[in-house]
Amino acid sequence: MPKPVDLPDNVPAPSAEQQKILERIAQQRERIHARSAAYRQVVALREENQAIDPDAPLPVRLLAFARMHPMAVAAAAAVAMVAGPSRLVRWAGVVMPLVSRLRR
């Protein structure tokens, strides 16, 4: 049950209908505060677990990198769009053997 609303001295006491509305408003405020507290808690936990696990699969590591560095990912996507698909395929043929050697 929400706490009663404190009114200034010069304001008349609310009627029963008005009191119901004031109570609903108080309940809604409590729900909003609880929801924002839960959201802040989720954000804090997410920030706490930001480290990338080096033993995780590559897609998981790439997703974690994208979450940590959204501007770098956007810049890389923009460069890829400007370069075009044929250049990307050509460069992938050069880079993929180098990456596979590094993974060994």
Side-chain angles (χ1 to χ4, degrees):
M1 183 91 195
K3 64 181 181 179
V5 178
D6 295 327
L7 297 173
D9 293 333
N10 60 352
V11 176
S15 67
E17 294 169 353
Q18 291 171 337
Q19 186 62 39
K20 284 182 182 179
I21 292 172
L22 291 174
E23 289 172 2
R24 282 194 352 224
I25 290 171
Q27 288 174 348
Q28 185 177 20
R29 286 182 179 158
E30 287 178 11
R31 283 195 307 267
I32 290 171
H33 289 301
R35 189 180 324 153
S36 68
Y39 177 76
R40 284 192 304 270
Q41 184 179 14
V42 166
V43 168
L45 286 173
R46 194 176 292 156
E47 287 175 359
E48 186 177 295
N49 296 328
Q50 280 288 325
I52 298 176
D53 181 16
D55 297 328
L58 183 62
V60 173
R61 287 185 287 166
L62 290 175
L63 186 60
F65 179 83
R67 285 184 182 148
M68 290 173 67
H69 307 288
M71 292 303 291
V73 174
V79 168
M81 288 175 57
V82 169
S86 61
R87 284 189 184 155
L88 290 178
V89 170
R90 194 174 332 139
W91 277 100
V94 172
V95 171
M96 289 306 286
L98 296 173
V99 170
S100 65
R101 285 186 198 143
L102 290 175
R103 293 200 66 181
R104 290 183 193 167

